[in-house]
Amino acid sequence: MATTKDMAQQVLDKIGGSSNINQVWNCATRLRFKLKDEDKVDIEKVKNIDGVMGAQFSGNQFQVIIGNRVSDVYEEIDNMVGNQGDGNSEDKQGIVSSIMDFISGVFTPILPALAGAGLLKGLLAVFVTAGWMSPKSDTYFVLNAIGDSIFYFLPFFLAVSTAKKIRTNEYLALVVAGTFMYPTFMESFSKMSEGGPKSLDFLGLGFFNIPFASYATTVIPIIISVIFLKYVYNAVKKVMPSALQLMFAPMIAFLIVIPLSLWLIGPLGNGLGALLAGAFTWLFDFSGLFAGLLIAGLMPLIVMTGMHYALAPIAITSLTTIGFDNMVGPAFLISNAAQAGAALGVAIVTRNKDMRYLGISSSLSAAIGITEPAMYGVNMKMKKPFVLAIISASLIGAFAGWYGLKAFTMTGLMGVFAIPIFANPSGNMESLIVAAVLYVLSILLACILVVIFRFKEEKPNELITEEVNDNHIANNNEESAIDSKATTVLSPLKGKLVPLSKVSDATFSEEIMGKGIAIEPEENKVVSPIDGQIMVLPDSKHAIGIKGDNGEEILIHIGIDTVSLNGAFFKDHVKVGDHVKAGDLLVEFDREAIRSKDIQTVTMIIITNTMEYLDVLPINENGEIFEGEHLLSLVK
């Protein structure tokens, strides 16, 4: 597995370098880029980077799916990009894309806090329901304060993340949130039911009445207010002398923004949130079966587009206004479990050892709530398992909607560890038990469907391997002996065969890039081993990537660390996009000059899409080979 630094550098190289980046950030499993020129992205090369699960354009974002290591890769990219990734994008984008991008940027930074606090609240509900802890104990008081803090003071967290997203001062935004949450307003709101005043007559004008309202756990009011703050603050600074801006610009912005937010934006935001929550409540009341089927079934497609971040404020508002979430939490839990089950089914059915390992590992990842490795690396790649996972989630989701499964808090990752959030704080264990059962059923149903409607694999890997090898021996390694399902790769140069395991570079010797063979060259040229298109040819000219007409993807890497020569001693005869025939001259190089620099010239021929084949079989691993001789067999 490539290091996070190597992955970061390769991603940057394939998307046009750091100078092509307007903005970069990450969510739980993927890197998200806003780019200046999307045409500079070579999406196929990005997908082929070791450790990358997939890549796609969504709206005006370019997304690279990494999985569990995404935060580490992001840190490396952030260090490499520096200030170049902070510029404003001038690209036009659709309204929906803009909204999704904005919500994603606001909620992604606070996901770890939501995940930890939400899980703690769920576990406390389980402990109380099971009688393991008294809700009146001092221990419960402290733990509940920890779990409840982010939800109660959510306006503070959203003020900071919103300010960072729209690039305005976070501390000014915190003043807005602090006023919303000021104890006097909160206490006055709580006393309204006791006959206390319902509003403040600001400025004594009679119409500027600021209503008392609770903004604890709210989402929409603070986000809109911080956006309003940015434009007012910037406008004030434009008309104010620079010598006065430090003190007077913030003060004037506060005097304009905060009263208007308390008077108009806050109440309207609360009303909008209640309206959204009510709409989804009505949908489930009208037909919980249909609503559960639709939302759970579509959840993988929603995740693929990044629109799942738009569900976060709806879930939070629902928890605040009606005390539970019967939409986002249940649908996510069931959908993620179905993806885990489908990947597990692939691991059971496949005869490809690499795919079996990936199926098991990605299934475990999806089981805890990180589904991209299973979705992109296994289920979508095999196609049918992805469809079966959606069908499974739809069926289980329909039952959950009909039953009325509810989550009573929220957490960032909806997997097995999120089941406690379905524990009813009132002490009823039924919802928790149903959630656990549906989680298991989602995994089992998807897994069973994949096993039943299995993708066709005509022969086990070991059997085909033995047959091909036996044919090689019986027919003195002649091409006519190769199994009809094998694709032939010819030798691109003359030299001595070297097993990959003996190459000094671990990237090749450990088959991280894929299976293949190495050759110590005895001539100074490389020809094409297949008919195909040139996909990769860096300025250093030390490596050539070819996509064959039959789908094979081959990397010819001349020497080890030859990239450091910056193209010296190399001459290319093709360019990216050229279509070549087997035997066409690709690159010439001076092997003696390269060796004089203490750089090895051993050349690796790697099948970079190895996982699409049952096996990659060298005809021989020792001895001499001539240009154009049969080198590898790729067995479907």
Side-chain angles (χ1 to χ4, degrees):
M1 181 68 72
T3 66
T4 54
K5 187 172 183 179
D6 289 340
M7 290 177 63
Q9 186 62 62
Q10 289 182 60
V11 169
L12 285 181
D13 291 343
K14 304 300 185 293
I15 65 172
S18 59
S19 61
N20 193 37
I21 296 174
N22 270 319
Q23 189 181 4
V24 56
W25 69 102
N26 72 293
C27 61
T29 55
R30 63 185 84 180
L31 298 169
R32 297 169 180 267
F33 296 91
K34 277 187 179 180
L35 303 172
K36 297 175 182 177
D37 185 356
E38 293 182 354
D39 292 337
K40 291 184 178 181
V41 175
D42 192 322
I43 192 168
E44 293 303 322
K45 291 181 184 178
V46 174
K47 290 179 180 179
N48 287 331
I49 294 173
D50 182 35
V52 170
M53 301 291 179
Q56 63 184 22
F57 283 100
S58 179
N60 78 321
Q61 290 182 24
F62 179 61
Q63 302 175 357
V64 182
I65 298 91
I66 301 293
N68 300 348
R69 306 169 71 196
V70 66
S71 59
D72 295 330
V73 177
Y74 168 74
E75 287 184 10
E76 296 289 353
I77 288 181
D78 192 43
N79 292 333
M80 296 173 183
V81 171
N83 295 328
Q84 295 183 70
D86 296 330
N88 288 314
S89 175
E90 299 178 355
D91 294 334
K92 300 291 185 182
Q93 54 179 315
I95 294 176
V96 174
S97 177
S98 299
I99 294 173
M100 295 304 106
D101 168 46
F102 175 76
I103 295 175
S104 168
V106 168
F107 278 90
T108 296
I110 66 173
L111 279 180
L114 283 172
L119 180 58
L120 180 57
K121 282 179 66 69
L123 290 173
L124 282 177
V126 173
F127 295 160
V128 171
T129 301
W132 299 338
M133 183 180 293
S134 169
K136 298 181 180 180
S137 67
D138 293 346
T139 301
Y140 178 88
F141 180 85
V142 174
L143 295 179
N144 186 62
I146 298 172
D148 207 35
S149 59
I150 185 174
F151 298 99
Y152 186 82
F153 294 107
L154 191 59
F156 287 102
F157 293 88
L158 292 175
V160 173
S161 61
T162 302
K164 286 187 174 181
K165 176 61 180 175
I166 63 177
R167 297 184 182 89
T168 194
N169 190 293
E170 303 100 299
Y171 299 99
L172 300 185
L174 283 171
V175 174
V176 179
T179 308
F180 274 146
M181 299 294 293
Y182 195 68
T184 301
F185 290 110
M186 303 297 287
E187 291 168 6
S188 299
F189 172 77
S190 64
K191 291 178 180 179
M192 283 173 51
S193 59
E194 302 172 4
K198 296 184 178 181
S199 63
L200 293 172
D201 185 6
F202 185 62
L203 298 178
L205 299 175
F207 68 87
F208 206 151
N209 295 317
I210 295 176
F212 291 125
S214 174
Y215 294 103
T217 71
T218 58
V219 174
I220 298 176
I222 187 63
I223 292 177
I224 298 177
S225 297
V226 172
I227 296 172
F228 183 34
L229 171 69
K230 173 186 176 177
Y231 289 101
V232 171
Y233 181 57
N234 289 347
V236 171
K237 287 198 299 180
K238 284 183 179 179
V239 300
M240 181 173 289
S242 57
L244 301 178
Q245 287 182 5
L246 179 62
M247 292 184 295
F248 289 98
M251 183 189 72
I252 294 174
F254 291 151
L255 291 176
I256 296 172
V257 171
I258 296 178
L260 288 175
S261 295
L262 292 171
W263 177 49
L264 192 61
I265 294 175
L268 286 177
N270 273 349
L272 179 59
L275 184 65
L276 288 172
F280 282 99
T281 301
W282 174 85
L283 177 62
F284 276 84
D285 289 342
F286 176 74
S287 177
L289 185 148
F290 173 75
L293 180 149
L294 185 68
I295 297 173
L298 291 178
M299 193 59 73
L301 305 179
I302 293 173
V303 170
M304 288 169 60
T305 61
M307 293 179 63
H308 55 297
Y309 287 100
L311 301 177
I314 297 173
I316 294 172
T317 304
S318 180
L319 288 168
T320 304
T321 56
I322 60 179
F324 59 80
D325 164 31
N326 60 344
M327 181 191 71
V328 181
F332 257 123
L333 182 77
I334 290 166
S335 175
N336 291 354
Q339 292 294 329
L344 180 61
V346 171
I348 293 172
V349 171
T350 185
R351 291 166 174 78
N352 185 303
K353 295 178 181 178
D354 293 331
M355 182 57 72
R356 183 179 298 121
Y357 171 78
L358 182 59
I360 293 172
S361 61
S362 63
S363 176
L364 292 173
S365 178
I368 64 174
I370 300 175
T371 57
E372 272 85 347
M375 280 176 52
Y376 290 95
V378 179
N379 298 335
M380 287 182 65
K381 190 171 186 177
M382 310 301 285
K383 297 181 178 62
K384 187 182 290 185
F386 183 69
V387 175
L388 295 175
I390 289 178
I391 293 172
S392 302
S394 298
L395 295 175
I396 303 297
F399 178 84
W402 170 82
Y403 168 79
L405 182 63
K406 302 177 181 68
F408 295 93
T409 183
M410 67 179 297
T411 184
L413 297 177
M414 292 302 300
V416 63
F417 298 116
I419 292 176
I421 73 173
F422 293 88
N424 194 326
S426 67
N428 188 336
M429 290 284 286
E430 183 178 333
S431 182
L432 177 67
I433 294 172
V434 171
V437 170
L438 294 185
Y439 175 80
V440 174
L441 287 177
S442 299
I443 294 177
L444 291 177
L445 180 59
C447 182
I448 291 171
L449 288 179
V450 170
V451 171
I452 292 175
F453 299 101
R454 54 202 296 164
F455 38 90
K456 293 181 180 180
E457 290 187 334
E458 296 184 10
K459 294 182 180 181
N461 186 29
E462 292 81 3
L463 179 59
I464 292 180
T465 300
E466 289 173 3
E467 289 182 357
V468 173
N469 283 335
D470 287 345
N471 284 338
H472 293 166
I473 296 171
N475 293 279
N476 195 29
N477 297 330
E478 294 181 1
E479 291 187 21
S480 61
I482 301 300
D483 187 278
S484 62
K485 293 184 179 296
T487 298
T488 298
V489 177
L490 306 179
S491 177
L493 69 169
K494 176 186 177 183
K496 294 180 180 179
L497 292 167
V498 179
L500 276 189
S501 59
K502 294 185 179 180
V503 173
S504 61
D505 190 327
T507 302
F508 301 108
S509 63
E510 297 178 11
E511 298 184 346
I512 294 173
M513 297 287 292
K515 294 184 178 181
I517 191 74
I519 299 174
E520 185 61 60
E522 294 180 354
E523 293 183 344
N524 292 339
K525 64 176 181 175
V526 171
V527 302
S528 180
I530 56 172
D531 295 347
Q533 186 176 16
I534 303 298
M535 304 299 293
V536 179
L537 184 61
D539 292 339
S540 56
K541 306 171 188 176
H542 75 291
I544 308 102
I546 310 173
K547 185 167 185 177
D549 293 343
N550 296 319
E552 65 273 37
E553 297 176 10
I554 299 177
L555 171 67
I556 304 172
H557 194 284
I558 305 169
I560 296 176
D561 294 330
T562 40
V563 65
S564 62
L565 296 172
N566 296 317
F569 313 126
F570 289 88
K571 180 181 180 181
D572 54 345
H573 291 269
V574 292
K575 61 182 183 298
V576 173
D578 286 352
H579 189 276
V580 295
K581 296 287 187 180
D584 287 352
L585 180 62
L586 302 179
V587 172
E588 289 182 294
F589 59 96
D590 189 336
R591 67 185 190 281
E592 294 302 327
I594 294 173
R595 290 168 185 168
S596 70
K597 300 292 184 180
D598 293 326
I599 295 177
Q600 298 180 47
T601 56
V602 62
T603 298
M604 284 62 65
I605 300 90
I606 306 297
I607 309 302
T608 55
N609 60 337
T610 291
M611 292 185 63
E612 296 180 13
Y613 297 91
L614 289 178
D615 212 343
V616 174
L617 302 170
I619 299 303
N620 285 302
E621 288 193 321
N622 295 287
E624 295 276 347
I625 191 162
F626 289 88
E627 172 192 310
E629 281 192 309
H630 191 162
L631 180 69
L632 299 170
S633 291
L634 315 183
V635 184
K636 281 285 189 181

